[in-house]
Amino acid sequence: MADLPGPLAAFIVGEMRRARGAAGMTQETFGRAAGFSASHVSAVEGGTRALTIDFIKGTDRALTSGGLFERLAATFGAPSWFLPWLDAERAATQLRYFEPNLIPGLLQTEAYARDVLRLDPRLTGEEVERRVKARVERQSILHREAPPTLVVVVDEGAIRRSGLGAEKMMDEQLEHLVACAERPNVSVHVVPADVGVYAGLSGPLSLAHLLDGGWVGHLETQLGGEVVDRPGDLDTLFERWESVRNEALPRRQSQDLIKERLTNGST
């Protein structure tokens, strides 16, 4: 599962299998109750099929466990509101991200991700480290045999933002961003500061194109996030994406701007 460290996903699957056996359920009877075929259950338990949030929720229904397994995934992996988007991200053939304030998670270094996650005062040091590891593991989709096409647009403010004492961390992040942008499946674009006010400043957005030809969107707020799949809402997100993309610099000019920031600093 893309949002959980591998050992944790294996642990949760093992606990699900043990709970199914303790309930006296075969893979077939369990699958009917959970909403999956017996072959799907066998593949997840055997490690040849990914553990998804839908399977986790189905397990909780089938075993009447009161949401135990979803809480395990949320507590030790990503927040529960983020899990459906991560399932879409893992299955996507194309991904589009716009961020007005931060570098998107798929292109973050460990140090940058750690600094961002530390901004949440509710997270303990241990929880921050778990989420840093999970965020970095998400990036494996960019290195698989058939990686998705990733198009990222960031505001210039995101590449110039750096706090006192964080200059080295930010330089390493920008070097990593440049290296990522040189991959054939990754395109990074920057909206320059002289654009002024534009539609994207209202907040980040994400879009994923799935194997079945459909699209899924994601919006993140201070309180959580929402997966968007209603046609009218998707139309609005596409209009917003096109507006943002049209304000951004071409790929090569964007890389030059990032490299200029590396050379001259944040000023």
Side-chain angles (χ1 to χ4, degrees), residues 95-189:
L95 289 165
R96 300 176 184 178
Y97 282 89
F98 167 68
E99 274 284 356
N101 301 307
L102 299 168
I103 306 302
L106 283 180
L107 300 181
Q108 290 179 5
T109 64
E110 284 192 33
Y112 185 94
R114 186 172 292 109
D115 273 16
V116 170
L117 290 166
R118 280 175 177 164
L119 295 175
D120 188 341
R122 300 167 299 175
L123 299 181
T124 65
E126 184 179 353
E127 288 168 336
V128 166
E129 292 306 314
R130 278 199 298 266
R131 294 194 181 187
V132 167
K133 183 176 181 180
R135 183 164 297 185
V136 171
E137 288 197 359
R138 275 174 59 200
Q139 299 171 8
S140 65
I141 65 170
L142 300 177
H143 307 285
R144 68 193 184 196
E145 185 174 347
T149 299
L150 172 64
V151 181
V152 167
V153 177
V154 297
D155 188 88
E156 184 175 347
I159 68 170
R160 295 196 179 276
R161 183 168 290 109
S162 179
L164 184 64
E167 294 85 357
K168 183 175 183 295
M169 177 275 293
M170 195 62 192
D171 284 350
E172 290 175 348
Q173 173 60 67
L174 295 181
E175 289 170 357
H176 178 68
L177 190 61
V178 169
C180 290
E182 291 174 349
R183 298 176 190 164
N185 63 308
V186 178
S187 182
V188 176
H189 303 268

Side-chain angles (χ1 to χ4, degrees), residues 24-260:
M25 302 175 76
T26 65
Q27 289 179 337
E28 184 174 357
T29 57
F30 170 83
R32 282 200 298 269
F36 294 90
S37 66
S39 61
H40 188 121
V41 174
S42 176
V44 172
E45 291 187 353
T48 60
R49 190 158 190 162
L51 177 63
T52 66
I53 185 59
D54 286 341
F55 193 90
I56 292 172
K57 289 180 176 179
T59 297
D60 281 326
R61 287 195 306 271
L63 299 175
T64 60
S65 53
L68 170 64
F69 293 105
E70 186 175 358
R71 289 197 300 276
L72 277 174
T75 300
F76 297 107
S80 58
W81 55 262
F82 199 44
L83 297 179
W85 170 251
L86 290 174
D87 287 342
E89 186 180 76
R90 178 180 52 79
T93 59
Q94 298 177 41
L95 289 165
R96 300 176 184 178
Y97 282 89
F98 167 68
E99 274 284 356
N101 301 307
L102 299 168
I103 306 302
L106 283 180
L107 300 181
Q108 290 179 5
T109 64
E110 284 192 33
Y112 185 94
R114 186 172 292 109
D115 273 16
V116 170
L117 290 166
R118 280 175 177 164
L119 295 175
D120 188 341
R122 300 167 299 175
L123 299 181
T124 65
E126 184 179 353
E127 288 168 336
V128 166
E129 292 306 314
R130 278 199 298 266
R131 294 194 181 187
V132 167
K133 183 176 181 180
R135 183 164 297 185
V136 171
E137 288 197 359
R138 275 174 59 200
Q139 299 171 8
S140 65
I141 65 170
L142 300 177
H143 307 285
R144 68 193 184 196
E145 185 174 347
T149 299
L150 172 64
V151 181
V152 167
V153 177
V154 297
D155 188 88
E156 184 175 347
I159 68 170
R160 295 196 179 276
R161 183 168 290 109
S162 179
L164 184 64
E167 294 85 357
K168 183 175 183 295
M169 177 275 293
M170 195 62 192
D171 284 350
E172 290 175 348
Q173 173 60 67
L174 295 181
E175 289 170 357
H176 178 68
L177 190 61
V178 169
C180 290
E182 291 174 349
R183 298 176 190 164
N185 63 308
V186 178
S187 182
V188 176
H189 303 268
V190 179
V191 179
D194 59 14
V195 166
V197 177
Y198 64 101
L201 293 177
S202 59
L205 68 88
S206 309
L207 289 160
H209 185 253
L210 306 179
L211 284 169
D212 63 6
W215 286 87
V216 174
H218 186 262
L219 296 173
E220 192 167 335
T221 70
Q222 293 283 346
L223 297 178
E226 176 188 5
V227 169
V228 177
D229 57 9
R230 295 183 295 273
D233 293 339
L234 283 171
D235 287 344
T236 299
L237 287 187
F238 275 111
E239 290 174 3
R240 188 63 56 87
W241 168 262
E242 289 300 325
S243 176
V244 166
R245 179 66 186 84
N246 287 337
E247 298 289 359
L249 296 171
R251 183 174 184 173
R252 186 54 57 188
Q253 291 180 35
S254 294
Q255 289 197 51
D256 289 343
L257 184 59
I258 298 169
K259 291 175 182 177
E260 178 270 328

Side-chain angles (χ1 to χ4, degrees), residues 7-21 44-45 51 69:
L8 177 59
F11 170 77
I12 292 178
V13 169
E15 291 303 304
M16 289 175 170
R17 183 171 58 247
R18 279 185 282 274
R20 174 181 65 77
V44 172
E45 291 187 353
L51 177 63
F69 293 105

